[in-house]
Amino acid sequence: MTGHRGIRIAALVATACVVLTGCRDSPTATPTPDRTFPASTTPTQPSKPGARPTSTAPSTPSVRPGESHGVSLLPVVQHGPRDKRRIALTFDADLTALMRTRLQRGKVHSYYNEALINELRAMKVPATLFLTGMWMEQYPDRTRELAADPLFELGTHTYDHRGFTKHCYTLGTVPAAEMLTDVRRAIEILDKLDAHATRWFRFPGGCYDGTALHELAPAGVTAVGLDVPGADGFAKSPKPVIKQVLSHVQNGSIVVLHMHGGDNAPFTDEAIPEIVRTLRARGYTLVTVTQLMAG
Ligand SMILES: [Zn+2]
């Protein structure tokens, strides 16, 4: 990519892929999430000293490592219990090298959607936020503020939002030998800023395969997938975001939206009030991923 247009297109595709259902399973994605996540695995948050206790979380949360044919795999959860009227809204904070360049050159004012966070606070909406390491380095004070707010829990989203399969759109690829280091890098940054950091993790673009699950098994995190992509990436108005979420949610849904705003997700803050009001009117309780998985 050499010109501004090239960068723009790459950024568009890279971030937009997060909101596409098909992005979850890249052409190289084997095995599928359902086959790699054993039914016996307890979908609760891995333990971490200092993790913020919640009223619904087990006192000693734990996850048994996933396993396939005797090989340890990173555990993955896609949704919570389908028999309870609860939904987890999650918000990813992407920051790629390209996005950071746009920020540094003044092409984008900010990749922190403060209006969105203000809406969540005003409506008292618990949420799980997945932050890239690069985003936390860009916004350490914001990360500390979010960490200190009991409404929110924080997880990680890799260091710089590269893909974990060979063909995760235009996100690039983290070499297998570097995957664990990359994920741990983001965890280390989060732990310095958040005494209550969770061990929830989200793959960029939702892309992963058996190699990634194997390489990341020692990371001590649980990958959180999605069953409702929020379609807020590069939305032209709040309406399609609202429609996408409200027409696809069900009991136990994990909804993926974005909190970096800017030109990448410009209407998430405008969409969220109607989404929240409607979900609550339908009788859903909005919870964090930890609460959703705690039973
Ligand atoms: Zn992302």
Side-chain angles (χ1 to χ4, degrees):
M1 294 300 165
T2 52
H4 166 75
R5 178 177 169 77
I7 292 172
R8 169 69 175 165
I9 291 172
L12 280 169
V13 176
T15 308
C17 85
V18 176
V19 299
L20 299 175
T21 304
C23 191
R24 184 168 60 223
D25 298 315
S26 75
T28 58
T30 57
T32 64
D34 282 344
R35 281 185 282 138
T36 56
F37 183 58
S40 62
T41 303
T42 306
T44 53
Q45 182 191 320
S47 61
K48 187 226 175 228
R52 176 184 292 133
T54 65
S55 59
T56 55
S59 55
T60 54
S62 65
V63 169
R64 283 174 290 181
E67 191 171 309
S68 177
H69 304 292
V71 177
S72 294
L73 298 173
L74 182 76
V76 182
V77 296
Q78 300 291 351
H79 58 78
R82 295 298 196 197
D83 61 349
K84 292 190 172 70
R85 212 148 177 80
R86 299 180 308 177
I87 287 172
L89 297 182
T90 70
F91 299 86
D92 296 352
D94 303 353
L95 195 60
T96 64
L98 286 172
M99 289 168 71
R100 187 171 62 181
T101 298
R102 289 178 56 72
L103 201 57
Q104 291 168 342
R105 291 179 179 173
K107 304 288 185 185
V108 175
H109 173 63
S110 172
Y111 279 120
Y112 173 61
N113 189 342
E114 187 170 11
L116 169 68
I117 297 300
N118 288 341
E119 288 287 354
L120 295 175
R121 284 173 168 152
M123 301 183 81
K124 296 183 170 28
V125 180
T128 303
L129 314 177
F130 292 91
L131 313 179
T132 52
M134 196 179 280
W135 191 93
M136 291 185 274
E137 287 179 343
Q138 188 72 36
Y139 301 105
D141 292 340
R142 295 301 197 181
T143 305
R144 288 190 191 94
E145 286 174 13
L146 295 168
D149 191 328
L151 264 185
F152 306 129
E153 64 175 12
L154 309 186
T156 54
H157 194 33
T158 75
Y159 177 70
D160 59 1
H161 208 261
R162 282 179 293 160
F164 279 66
T165 59
K166 289 180 180 175
H167 305 288
C168 187
Y169 296 81
T170 60
L171 290 179
T173 302
V174 180
E178 298 175 18
M179 288 178 175
L180 185 59
T181 302
D182 181 284
V183 169
R184 283 179 168 164
R185 187 177 181 186
I187 292 171
E188 286 169 10
I189 295 170
L190 179 61
D191 283 354
K192 287 177 182 168
L193 299 169
D194 180 3
H196 312 288
T198 75
R199 286 296 180 260
W200 299 122
F201 163 78
R202 177 165 282 142
F203 282 105
C207 302
Y208 62 91
D209 58 15
T211 298
L213 296 180
H214 176 66
E215 293 295 328
L216 295 179
V221 296
T222 294
V224 179
L226 57 142
D227 57 350
V228 180
D232 58 337
F234 306 101
K236 302 298 183 192
S237 77
K239 278 190 174 181
V241 183
I242 295 167
K243 183 179 179 184
Q244 164 69 13
V245 174
L246 296 181
S247 61
H248 288 86
V249 290
Q250 58 178 309
N251 289 352
S253 282
I254 296 174
V255 179
V256 179
L257 293 158
H258 297 87
M259 57 165 282
H260 49 249
D263 52 352
N264 291 44
F267 292 103
T268 313
D269 56 298
E270 292 185 42
I272 207 67
E274 186 170 337
I275 290 172
V276 169
R277 277 194 299 270
T278 305
L279 292 179
R280 284 175 168 165
R282 290 181 187 174
Y284 286 110
T285 299
L286 302 176
V287 296
T288 63
V289 171
T290 297
Q291 292 165 336
L292 188 74
M293 294 303 174

